Amino acid sequence: KNQVEQSPQSLIILEGKNCTLQCNYTVSPFSNLRWYKQDTGRGPVSLTIMTFSENTKSNGRYTATLDADTKQSSLHITASQLSDSASYICVVSEYSGGGADGLTFGKGTHLIIQP
Amino acid sequence: DTGVSQDPRHKITKRGQNVTFRCDPISEHNRLYWYRQTLGQGPEFLTYFQNEAQLEKSRLLSDRFSAERPKGSFSTLEIQRTEQGDSAMYLCASSSQAANTGELFFGEGSRLTVL
């Protein structure tokens, strides 16, 4: 069964500090992995996509890594800001063209940034 | 605003009543998805349309749930004889098959509370 496991379940850090969120998956075949940010009471928004051949990708203060051999991804947030408080959801796709049956969602990591 | 829009944003109803949610996807997107999300969980797939065709429906979806996309544009999700367990955030997302990225664009969600 395809699964996406995220850790930690929740995390509290002080503003300005760095943090790393983990995503382990058993999805096969693998096409890509996305990290979504979901603010409280809002819909998820895509932060970055990682394909099989990509190891690292940055989007501002967010840096995602992918190890396709060990089926692990991480999302590193640098110099955290209060606006980074949100849930971060890892989604793994079996197919490059999308379609609902090829997507497996993690439960998310709930991140709280304290001033 | 050219994003995905959902209506209503919040709905409080009594057990046994019927409710209907509407989703207007991004205009050029031919794929539309409905997800359900409860507190602390990732989005759970409900159903998926490509144009007006409902291509997939979750086995977890009871017969009380029905979704339509009659003209391949907006979609409605109806829940009949609501139960307290139906209380959740109902998320709509759309994507473009032509773009072939698989990225989902989510709406803000419709939060349902069943008393």
Side-chain angles (χ1 to χ4, degrees), chain A residues 9 32 34 36 38 41-47 49 89 91 93 95-103 105-108, chain B residues 9 31 33 35 37 40-43 45 47-48 56 89 91 96-97 100-109 111:
Chain A
Q9 186 175 14
N32 60 65
R34 285 186 186 274
Y36 284 83
Q38 185 175 23
R42 310 290 289 272
V45 175
S46 178
L47 287 175
I49 178 174
I89 301 171
V91 183
S93 177
Y95 314 118
S96 62
D101 58 349
L103 298 177
F105 282 73
K107 293 184 177 181
Chain B
R9 292 291 310 281
R31 289 176 167 169
Y33 312 77
Y35 288 87
Q37 187 177 30
Q41 302 295 313
F45 171 71
T47 190
Y48 155 56
E56 188 176 354
M89 173 78 86
L91 291 166
S96 168
Q97 181 181 11
N100 204 34
T101 64
E103 180 178 358
L104 299 183
F105 293 80
F106 285 87
E108 300 288 352
R111 179 166 295 282

Side-chain angles (χ1 to χ4, degrees), chain A residues 9-55:
Chain A
Q9 186 175 14
S10 61
L11 182 62
I12 302 174
I13 63 171
L14 293 176
E15 185 179 10
K17 298 296 185 182
N18 303 337
C19 66
T20 300
L21 314 180
Q22 297 290 342
C23 173
N24 296 342
Y25 61 93
T26 60
V27 176
S28 182
F30 172 86
S31 175
N32 60 65
L33 181 151
R34 285 186 186 274
W35 284 93
Y36 284 83
K37 178 187 179 188
Q38 185 175 23
D39 293 321
T40 301
R42 310 290 289 272
V45 175
S46 178
L47 287 175
T48 186
I49 178 174
M50 305 292 291
T51 58
F52 186 86
S53 59
E54 296 174 310
N55 299 118

Side-chain angles (χ1 to χ4, degrees), chain B residues 5 12 14 21 26 30 37-38 45 57 64 70 78 82 87 91 97 100 112:
Chain B
S5 63
I12 300 174
K14 292 182 179 179
F21 300 117
I26 294 173
N30 66 327
Q37 187 177 30
T38 54
F45 171 71
K57 186 175 178 180
R64 297 184 297 104
E78 181 182 18
T82 53
S87 295
L91 291 166
Q97 181 181 11
N100 204 34
L112 173 65

Side-chain angles (χ1 to χ4, degrees), chain A residues 74-88:
Chain A
S74 66
L75 181 69
H76 185 76
I77 304 175
T78 304
S80 61
Q81 300 177 357
L82 296 178
S83 60
D84 293 331
S85 294
S87 287
Y88 291 83

